Amino acid sequence: MTSLETYFKNSQPLDQYIEAMTENKENLLTIYNSFSLPEEDNRIEKIKSLNYSKVLVITEDWCGDAMMNVPILKHISETLNLEVRVFHRDENTDLIDQYLTNGTARSIPIFVFLNDAYEQQTVWGPRARQVQHFVDEARSNVPAKDDPTFEDKSAEAHTIMMNRYKTDSQLWKYVYDSILDKLIIK
């Protein structure tokens, strides 16, 4: 099995990934430029004393959750001086298969926080708990896949989610708090 160090070293630096994005780039950058970390958050100083130095992000640029979560992570990583690299999930599913959501889904993004020795310290993703509740609510009217209205209802739910992801600063705060809490709790 390939080591996390090998995956990390063979992945794209975050800024290169963002520059090369072909989908959701503008929205990701808008969220990044619209979000700012709270001025005083005692969790930041506590996390700085912990053993984090790197983040391996498993994602794809078409992913709406990544569009919202990655810019929040970028702010956090800049504040904590963490090196962030991006691994494209669809290029090699061996890595994501180690981080399946609910044991079955290759959900993204996944943030693998590492120490200097490339050892996994904690994992976050794909969503903050409150964001998951919103997604569940948005999808609550989507029928089973064999229903003739499935495609339309699914597209409608996706549009609702994407619009909120792009504009709702409260969702962004939930992501921020969720990531920081995970870093403290491990």
Side-chain angles (χ1 to χ4, degrees):
M1 181 161 62
T2 307
S3 72
L4 289 173
E5 179 177 3
T6 300
Y7 280 117
F8 188 86
K9 288 180 175 178
N10 290 323
S11 295
Q12 264 183 314
L14 180 58
D15 288 337
Q16 280 183 15
Y17 166 78
I18 293 170
E19 185 59 36
M21 287 178 72
T22 60
E23 296 181 55
N24 289 320
K25 179 179 178 178
E26 183 178 317
N27 292 326
L28 183 147
L29 291 172
T30 297
I31 293 168
Y32 178 79
N33 291 326
S34 300
F35 178 79
S36 54
L37 298 183
E39 290 201 18
E40 295 199 21
D41 188 334
N42 60 0
R43 295 175 296 177
I44 294 290
E45 288 309 312
K46 183 174 183 178
I47 293 167
K48 283 182 179 179
S49 70
L50 299 174
N51 198 20
Y52 300 110
S53 64
K54 299 165 185 44
V55 187
L56 179 57
V57 175
I58 308 167
T59 195
E60 290 290 342
D61 68 357
W62 49 258
C63 176
D65 286 296
M67 173 194 73
M68 179 174 66
N69 296 336
V70 168
I72 309 304
L73 174 69
K74 182 170 169 45
H75 276 288
I76 293 168
S77 66
E78 290 166 349
T79 300
L80 296 174
N81 198 29
L82 303 176
E83 182 183 0
V84 182
R85 290 184 166 256
V86 177
F87 184 83
H88 296 263
R89 181 197 74 173
D90 296 343
E91 288 181 10
N92 177 341
T93 56
D94 290 345
L95 181 59
I96 192 65
D97 286 349
Q98 298 174 48
Y99 300 99
L100 297 176
T101 301
N102 300 323
T104 58
R106 291 177 173 156
S107 302
I108 50 176
I110 298 293
F111 303 157
V112 183
F113 291 87
L114 307 169
N115 63 16
D116 285 334
Y118 300 93
E119 296 166 329
Q120 177 180 306
Q121 299 300 294
T122 195
V123 177
W124 184 92
R127 294 186 182 111
R129 180 179 41 83
Q130 301 91 331
V131 176
Q132 184 63 53
H133 291 309
F134 160 67
V135 168
D136 291 343
E137 185 179 302
R139 289 183 175 161
S140 65
N141 293 328
V142 176
K145 286 186 178 184
D146 60 354
D147 186 293
T149 64
F150 171 78
E151 289 297 328
D152 289 341
K153 295 284 187 184
S154 184
E156 183 179 304
H158 183 263
T159 298
I160 290 168
M161 291 184 303
M162 291 295 284
N163 286 337
R164 283 277 302 275
Y165 282 4
K166 292 186 285 190
T167 61
D168 190 336
S169 61
Q170 184 58 57
L171 290 183
W172 307 342
K173 176 100 169 69
Y174 289 147
V175 171
Y176 167 79
D177 286 334
S178 178
I179 293 171
L180 260 56
D181 290 346
K182 184 67 174 183
L183 291 173
I184 288 173
I185 295 167
K186 290 192 181 188

